[in-house]
């Protein structure tokens, strides 16, 4: 978002973009503004910005410039890529994390993020960083080989659905590239 004003809410959002500009440049929001005399502050909660930020003045890993107030809750920026979370300072509710901490769900669960209905994180999707569970559907665990003989083997894996369309067919492809052999015994999914 470029600029947010009073009553604006940015909740459950993320970006991994590199952002470049002259002034008031933030990884998620460039300018957070609240006019004196208005009651509602702009609010940013449960967000993260993982990209780098480059600007001549007033830049921050999450918010570039915050004029006259704003409410920040449970939001993170990469301290490996940007020095501060906010161009004017780093207020309460904005926390810098090293990139490695972004791959650990506990960093966000401790802050109250919902990893049952909204967010997911694993080594398979989104570069290992948190994502919305609706972004990726079928999740397949690492296959395990069982009962390997010279002519047969049994391959087992756990399939789960993280919010995408339900699986209608499940199978495996053996080998790689043009020489891949399709699985001869696929099972229908539910």
């Amino acid at each position: 978002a470029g600029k947010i004003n009073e009553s604006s809410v940015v909740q459950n959002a993320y970006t991994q973009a590199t952002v470049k500009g002259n002034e008031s440049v933030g990884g998620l929001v460039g300018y957070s503004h609240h006019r004196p005399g208005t009651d509602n502050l702009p609010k940013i909660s449960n967000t993260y910005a993982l990209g780098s930020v480059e600007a001549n003045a007033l830049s921050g890993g999450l918010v570039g410039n915050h004029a006259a107030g704003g409410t920040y809750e449970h939001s993170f920026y990469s301290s490996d890529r940007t020095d501060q979370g906010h161009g004017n300072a780093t207020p309460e509710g904005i926390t810098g994390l090293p990139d490695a901490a972004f791959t650990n769900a506990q960093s966000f669960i401790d802050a109250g993020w919902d990893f049952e209905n909204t967010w997911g994180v694993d080594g398979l999707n989104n570069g290992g960083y948190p994502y919305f569970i609706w972004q990726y559907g079928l999740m397949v665990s690492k296959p395990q080989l069982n009962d390997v003989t010279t002519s047969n083997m049994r391959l087992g894996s756990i399939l789960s659905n993280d919010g995408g369309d339900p699986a209608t067919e499940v199978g495996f492809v053996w080998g790689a590239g043009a020489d891949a052999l399709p699985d001869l015994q696929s099972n229908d999914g539910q």
Side-chain angles (χ1 to χ4, degrees), residues 134-186:
W134 56 261
Q135 289 179 283
Y136 301 94
L138 186 64
M139 303 294 292
V140 181
S141 68
K142 184 178 178 181
Q144 299 293 318
L145 288 175
N146 301 308
D147 302 328
V148 178
T149 67
T150 57
S151 60
N152 292 309
M153 73 174 143
R154 190 172 51 150
L155 181 65
S157 188
I158 297 172
L159 304 175
S160 61
N161 191 321
D162 276 356
D165 294 330
T168 57
E169 188 174 333
V170 178
F172 293 95
V173 175
W174 306 98
D179 297 328
L181 299 172
D183 179 13
L184 298 177
Q185 184 180 350
S186 291

Side-chain angles (χ1 to χ4, degrees), residues 1-59:
K3 178 181 179 181
I4 61 172
N5 290 318
E6 48 281 316
S7 300
S8 297
V9 176
V10 178
Q11 184 174 4
N12 292 324
Y14 78 90
T15 179
Q16 296 177 10
T18 296
V19 184
K20 298 178 183 180
N22 187 38
E23 183 177 337
S24 298
V25 179
L28 185 67
V29 172
Y31 189 69
S32 174
H33 181 261
H34 174 245
R35 289 185 299 239
T38 57
D39 293 332
N40 298 320
L41 298 173
K43 179 179 179 180
I44 298 174
S45 67
N46 293 19
T47 65
Y48 79 85
L50 194 58
S52 61
V53 176
E54 297 176 24
N56 295 325
L58 292 173
S59 67

Side-chain angles (χ1 to χ4, degrees), residues 61 77-85 90:
Y77 69 95
S78 169
S79 58
D80 288 340
R81 301 177 196 210
T82 305
D83 292 338
Q84 60 186 22
T90 299

